[in-house]
């Protein structure tokens, strides 16, 4: 059982001992820390916070605890009930709220849950703000409201519909053009809130929807991370139904993966590539992804005359870099689409609509579209080190060894070679170096990773 405290929130497994897992006491403590920080940060006497959750089994329990804690601090709560991460992000500014909390462990299995924390813009807190909240949680120095000053709860379950309307109103989305194509799409909602939101959006766009695991019971029918090894059912159903493609989302609907018409994975890395291809074809500009994302985005961006920039891993870092470079689209290679014309958060509803527009404009099949993009292959490995080894010193030595290459040290060590790249990152919790490589064949990616692992071992003397 596990409890992970980080600047982006608190995440853990349900049950077990306080402080070691996400127990009711831990949920209350971190909700109180967030509410206490928000009072100080906003400088207001009366605050409003938007709360929504995915469909996981512990969601209602955790939500009741968090909502009651905020009410106890004198905060007004807008309860969206079953929702998605991007829906809560959109709701915060629309409600003129001071912040938001999303109760979801994203792609983690059903025993996990988490509190993801937002600011008044509906964006994730930065590192400094997150650190203050962790410090408050350690001190447990909370000042709760007296009885006449308790907060209140307003329920509003219409925000998924509001979110869909926001997507349909985006200037690059032509609903009539999509409707004329009469697409047929299979949707795997992993029995969470994507099973509500994605089919609703598709039906508004005139798409024939075949629903698979779209009942939001929280009983995930497979590992909820949208990876190839977990998605055999939808791959088979796309072929059986003769669908144009399939859509897979994670439980909180901020990661988006497509299945091509031939039942093969389109590739999570290529979700962003395809959406960027459409946006850049309509709006000239720049793009951003994190250092561990595919080089294919850079290729597509330069093809359209834009400039690509890389950010440290983590959504908040990508958003910061997007704002710095005025990027028109960005995200992460795990299927996270960030489209600033909507909001600065990963959004599978926006990504779905952009992809449908691309298919409506280009014609042909999804498999043909995938074949038209630069083809890259990734390898993801790790090396376990002994606790006494200085991981930072090892990474510095690797950076020094390759100082004549195109190198970045903003997040570990990223080395860009002409034909491939390697990204080395250390774990924050254990003596591990993660090795990500990309090349033009799987064999080349694996060979590069193995070669770098050998070099790290030589540097470390193991």
């Amino acid at each position: 059982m596990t409890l992970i405290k980080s600047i982006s929130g608190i995440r853990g497994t349900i049950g077990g001992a306080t402080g070691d897992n996400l127990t009711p006491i831990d949920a209350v403590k971190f909700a109180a820390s967030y509410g206490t920080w928000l009072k100080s940060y906003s400088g207001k006497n009366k605050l409003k916070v938007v709360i929504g959750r995915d469909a996981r089994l512990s969601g209602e329990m955790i939500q009741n605890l968090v909502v009651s804690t905020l009410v106890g601090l004198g905060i007004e709560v807008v309860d969206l009930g079953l929702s998605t991460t991007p829906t809560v992000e959109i709701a915060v500014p629309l409600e003129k709220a001071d912040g938001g909390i999303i109760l979801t462990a994203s792609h983690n299995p059903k025993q996990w849950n988490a509190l993801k924390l937002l600011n008044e813009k509906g964006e994730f807190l930065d590192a400094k703000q997150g650190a203050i909240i962790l410090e408050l949680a350690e001190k447990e120095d909370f000042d709760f409201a007296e009885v006449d000053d308790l907060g209140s709860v307003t329920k509003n379950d219409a925000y998924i519909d509001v979110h869909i309307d926001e997507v349909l109103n985006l200037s690059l989305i032509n609903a009539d053009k999509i409707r004329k194509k009469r697409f047929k799409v299979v949707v795997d909602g992993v029995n969470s809130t994507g099973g509500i939101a994605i089919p609703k959006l598709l039906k508004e766009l005139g798409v024939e929807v075949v629903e698979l695991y779209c009942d939001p019971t929280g009983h995930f029918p497979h590992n909820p991370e949208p990876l190839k090894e977990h998605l055999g059912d939808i791959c088979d159903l796309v072929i059986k139904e003769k669908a144009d493609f399939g859509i897979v989302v994670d439980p909180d609907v901020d990661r988006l993966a497509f299945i091509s018409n031939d039942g093969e994975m389109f590739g999570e890395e290529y979700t962003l590539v395809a959406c960027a291809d459409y946006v850049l074809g309509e709006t000239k500009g720049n793009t951003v992804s994190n250092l561990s994302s595919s080089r294919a985005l850079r290729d597509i961006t330069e093809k359209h005359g834009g400039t690509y920039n890389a950010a440290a891993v983590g959504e908040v870092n990508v958003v910061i870099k997007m704002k710095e470079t005025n990027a028109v689209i960005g995200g992460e290679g795990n299927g996270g689409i960030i489209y600033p014309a909507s909001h600065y958060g990963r959004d599978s509803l926006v990504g779905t609509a952009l992809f449908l527009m691309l298919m409506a404009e280009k014609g042909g099949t999804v498999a043909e579209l995938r074949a038209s993009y630069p083809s890259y292959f990734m390898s993801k490995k790790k090396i376990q080190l002994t606790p006494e080894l200085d991981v930072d010193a090892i990474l510095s030595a690797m950076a020094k060894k390759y100082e004549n290459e195109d190198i970045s040290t903003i997040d570990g060590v990223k080395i860009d070679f002409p034909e491939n790249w390697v990204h080395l990152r250390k774990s924050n919790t254990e003596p591990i170096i993660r090795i990500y490589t990309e090349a033009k064949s799987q064999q080349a990616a694996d060979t590069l990773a193995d070669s770098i692992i050998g070099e790290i071992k030589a540097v470390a003397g193991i």
Side-chain angles (χ1 to χ4, degrees):
M1 309 294 272
T2 310
L3 183 67
I4 300 171
K5 306 167 188 176
S6 73
I7 57 171
S8 59
I10 178 174
R11 176 166 52 104
T13 49
I14 299 298
T18 302
D20 293 330
N21 310 277
L22 185 54
T23 68
I25 291 170
D26 293 292
V28 167
K29 182 167 72 171
F30 279 87
S33 302
Y34 173 71
T36 299
W37 167 79
L38 202 59
K39 282 183 170 182
S40 172
Y41 172 72
S42 69
K44 296 180 181 178
N45 292 324
K46 278 294 182 184
L47 299 176
K48 182 192 289 188
V49 171
V50 176
I51 300 225
R53 64 181 176 91
D54 69 14
R56 63 186 61 234
L57 300 175
S58 62
E60 187 172 5
M61 176 191 75
I62 297 296
Q63 180 157 341
N64 288 338
L65 291 163
V66 170
V67 168
S68 295
T69 301
L70 295 179
V71 168
L73 286 166
I75 295 172
E76 178 186 344
V77 174
V78 181
D79 176 7
L80 306 191
L82 287 174
S83 192
T84 77
T85 287
T87 303
V88 177
E89 291 170 347
I90 279 176
V92 169
L94 289 176
E95 285 288 327
K96 296 181 172 59
D98 302 286
I101 302 178
I102 307 149
L103 305 172
T104 174
S106 195
H107 63 272
N108 290 106
K110 68 177 182 179
Q111 66 267 32
W112 289 80
N113 212 329
L115 281 68
K116 292 185 176 181
L117 310 175
L118 304 175
N119 62 19
E120 77 282 2
K121 297 177 182 177
E123 299 169 15
F124 287 111
L125 305 188
D126 62 30
K128 183 177 179 182
Q129 294 165 339
I132 293 170
I133 290 168
L134 291 178
E135 187 178 333
L136 286 168
E138 288 298 317
K139 292 180 178 178
E140 296 189 36
D141 184 15
F142 310 129
D143 185 14
F144 287 96
E146 296 183 7
V147 68
D148 291 331
D149 298 318
L150 292 174
S152 60
V153 181
T154 303
K155 293 185 181 294
N156 187 338
D157 60 3
Y159 260 100
I160 286 179
D161 292 326
V162 172
H163 188 175
I164 289 170
D165 287 342
E166 291 280 308
V167 173
L168 297 177
N169 287 330
L170 291 170
S171 62
L172 292 193
I173 304 303
N174 184 330
D176 288 337
K177 184 169 285 189
I178 294 171
R179 290 185 188 113
K180 287 176 183 176
K181 292 293 182 178
R182 299 185 177 274
F183 291 114
K184 182 178 184 180
V185 174
V186 180
V187 177
D188 179 351
V190 73
N191 284 345
S192 190
T193 49
I196 302 170
I198 299 295
K200 268 191 172 187
L201 170 66
L202 292 174
K203 289 169 185 175
E204 285 288 329
L205 291 167
V207 175
E208 180 183 349
V209 180
V210 179
E211 296 186 8
L212 175 68
Y213 308 136
C214 286
D215 187 11
T217 62
H219 290 283
F220 303 149
H222 55 75
N223 186 307
E225 187 166 14
L227 302 177
K228 181 178 181 177
E229 56 265 33
H230 308 147
L231 302 176
D233 290 350
I234 187 171
C235 291
D236 292 342
L237 193 56
V238 166
I239 295 173
K240 180 182 176 182
E241 291 287 340
K242 296 182 173 60
D244 291 290
F245 61 97
I247 292 175
V248 185
V249 292
D250 64 341
D252 69 323
V253 204
D254 65 356
R255 286 177 63 174
L256 174 65
F258 298 117
I259 311 298
S260 296
N261 54 291
D262 57 3
E264 296 295 323
M265 294 291 295
F266 189 76
E268 261 195 314
E269 291 286 338
Y270 286 82
T271 299
L272 177 55
V273 173
C275 291
D277 190 16
Y278 172 65
V279 170
L280 293 170
E282 303 292 326
T283 310
K284 298 301 179 188
N286 305 324
T287 65
V288 173
S289 65
N290 69 40
L291 285 167
S292 291
S293 297
S294 177
R295 188 177 279 185
L297 179 62
R298 184 199 68 180
D299 294 349
I300 289 296
T301 304
E302 292 175 352
K303 174 187 170 185
H304 285 286
T307 300
Y308 165 79
N309 287 278
V313 173
E315 181 174 335
V316 65
N317 298 316
V318 173
V319 167
I320 290 168
K321 180 61 73 172
M322 288 180 70
K323 291 178 178 179
E324 287 176 359
T325 60
N326 295 314
V328 295
I329 189 168
E332 298 184 283
N334 60 8
I337 305 299
I338 303 173
Y339 184 48
S342 175
H343 65 115
Y344 278 105
R346 297 185 303 180
D347 191 332
S348 295
L349 280 76
V350 168
T352 295
L354 293 174
F355 188 78
L356 284 165
M357 281 303 303
L358 178 67
M359 290 305 302
E361 293 276 5
K362 285 207 167 189
T365 68
V366 171
E368 289 167 346
L369 174 68
R370 175 63 182 82
S372 73
Y373 292 133
S375 196
Y376 293 104
F377 298 82
M378 279 194 175
S379 176
K380 298 181 180 181
K381 299 189 178 186
K382 62 184 177 182
I383 180 170
Q384 182 83 42
L385 305 172
T386 54
E388 63 269 15
L389 287 171
D390 187 339
V391 178
D392 288 324
I394 293 170
L395 292 179
S396 294
M398 293 298 292
K400 177 69 174 174
K401 180 173 183 178
Y402 288 100
E403 62 184 349
N404 292 326
E405 301 290 345
D406 182 4
I407 195 166
S408 169
T409 56
I410 62 171
D411 182 10
V413 179
K414 169 80 176 280
I415 309 161
D416 266 300
F417 301 107
E419 295 296 318
N420 47 42
W421 57 258
V422 58
H423 186 199
L424 310 176
R425 300 182 71 231
K426 72 171 186 176
S427 167
N428 292 322
T429 57
E430 51 188 331
I432 283 176
I433 294 177
R434 302 187 189 280
I435 299 100
Y436 304 93
T437 62
E438 185 177 66
K440 292 186 176 179
S441 73
Q442 191 62 57
Q443 182 179 357
D446 291 336
T447 299
L448 176 60
D450 291 338
S451 174
I452 292 291
I453 288 172
E455 293 178 20
I456 291 171
K457 287 182 175 180
V459 168
I462 55 176

